[in-house]
Amino acid sequence: MRKNNRPRKALSLFAMVGLSTYLILGGAAPAQAMHIMEGYLPLAWALFWWLAFVPFFAWGLRSLVKITKENPDLKLLLALSGAFAFVLSALKIPSVTGSCSHPTGTGLGAVLFGPSIMSVLGSMVLVFQALLLAHGGLTTLGANAMSMAVAGPFAAYWIYHLVLRTSGSYGVAIFCAAALGDLVTYVVTAMQLSLAFPSPTIFTSFVKFGGIFAVTQVPLAISEGLLTVLVWNWLRQYNSEELNTLKSISVRNNVL
C-alpha cells in the first residue's frame, strides 16, 4: 500500500509559507528587540550567561542526537518546530520605549520534544537571527539563549503537564504553555537587564524593564497561545502518527 505523503508535504508547505511571510512583511530591522543586542551587556555578565547556557546546550544536543537516531521520521517535525520559533520570534513590533517585542514560538517545540531539545533549536534560531537579521548578537547569545531557549521552553513544558493534569484539556494546556512560556522569557530577560544595570537597585530596575515589556508582550503572548493551539490541532489531525511516536518515547529524553 502506497504511503500517504500529504501530511509531510503540508508540513513543508507550512514552514515555507511562514518563512516567506516573514521575509516579505518583516524584513531585517535594527537590532533593538527583546533579544539583548550585540555589545549591550558588560563582558562579565555576557560571559556568565554563556557559561550558564553551555550545560543546557550539551544536554539538548545529546537528546537531539538520540531522538533522531531512534526516530528518523521525526526530523521533519523537528524542523517545523525550529521554523515555527524562527518565524514567530523574528516578527517584531515596536515597544513603548523604541525597542521591540515579539512572540517566541518555543512553546510548541517544548511540548512536542521537551525543553532540552529546544535549547538546541532555540539557540540555532538565535544564531541565524544574529547573523542574518542583525537581531540579537553573538556576545549576548548566552543571555538570549538562557531566556528564550532554556527558561521559556522549560516553563512551557512544566506548565503544559501541570494544566493537562488538572484540566484534562489539550487545548487549554497548549495555550497556557505557549502564552506563559512566552511571558517567562521576558521575565528572565528583564531580570538579566536589571542585574547588569541596577538603577538604583536591582528590584527597581526589574520593575522598570518588566513594566516596559508587559505593555506589548501580554497581548503578544495571548496571540501566540491561540496560534499554537491552532497549529497543535492541525498536527493532531494530519500527523497523529508522529505525535503518537513522541508519546511513546521515554520520559528520560524529556519528551511527551
Side-chain angles (χ1 to χ4, degrees), residues 8-18:
R8 295 182 178 276
K9 293 180 180 179
L11 275 174
S12 302
L13 180 61
F14 175 82
M16 289 187 292
V17 169

Side-chain angles (χ1 to χ4, degrees), residues 50-243:
W50 260 106
L51 293 176
F53 171 66
V54 168
F56 289 98
F57 182 83
W59 178 22
L61 194 61
R62 179 177 177 274
S63 299
L64 183 63
V65 170
K66 185 174 182 180
I67 195 174
T68 51
K69 283 184 177 180
E70 295 178 353
N71 303 274
D73 291 341
L74 297 177
K75 290 181 180 179
L76 189 57
L77 201 56
L78 278 165
L80 172 66
S81 299
F84 187 71
F86 178 85
V87 171
L88 287 195
S89 63
L91 294 173
K92 303 178 287 292
I93 67 171
S95 184
V96 294
T97 58
S99 62
C100 296
S101 293
H102 57 74
T104 64
T106 57
L108 178 66
V111 169
L112 290 174
F113 294 99
S116 62
I117 287 180
M118 282 311 297
S119 66
V120 178
L121 296 183
S123 61
M124 290 174 61
V125 166
L126 289 167
V127 168
F128 277 112
Q129 290 181 354
L131 295 178
L132 303 178
L133 306 177
H135 186 188
L138 296 180
T139 60
T140 57
L141 180 62
N144 290 326
M146 280 299 296
S147 60
M148 191 177 117
V150 176
F154 269 88
Y157 180 79
W158 291 331
I159 290 167
Y160 169 77
H161 287 284
L162 176 63
V163 175
L164 185 61
R165 284 196 299 267
T166 56
S167 70
S169 171
Y170 282 100
V172 173
I174 290 292
F175 173 81
C176 291
L180 296 179
D182 178 296
L183 293 177
V184 167
T185 298
Y186 275 79
V187 169
V188 172
T189 301
M191 179 199 69
Q192 292 171 329
L193 293 174
S194 63
L195 288 172
F197 305 103
S199 177
T201 66
I202 294 175
F203 177 76
T204 55
S205 184
F206 175 80
V207 172
K208 179 184 69 175
F209 284 116
I212 291 171
F213 285 142
V215 174
T216 49
Q217 200 56 34
V218 169
L220 279 177
I222 296 173
S223 301
E224 179 177 345
L226 294 173
L227 177 60
T228 307
V229 170
L230 292 177
V231 175
W232 171 264
N233 290 336
W234 179 78
L235 288 173
R236 291 186 68 187
Q237 182 177 359
Y238 293 104
N239 291 80
S240 57
E241 182 178 346
E242 284 83 356
L243 294 183

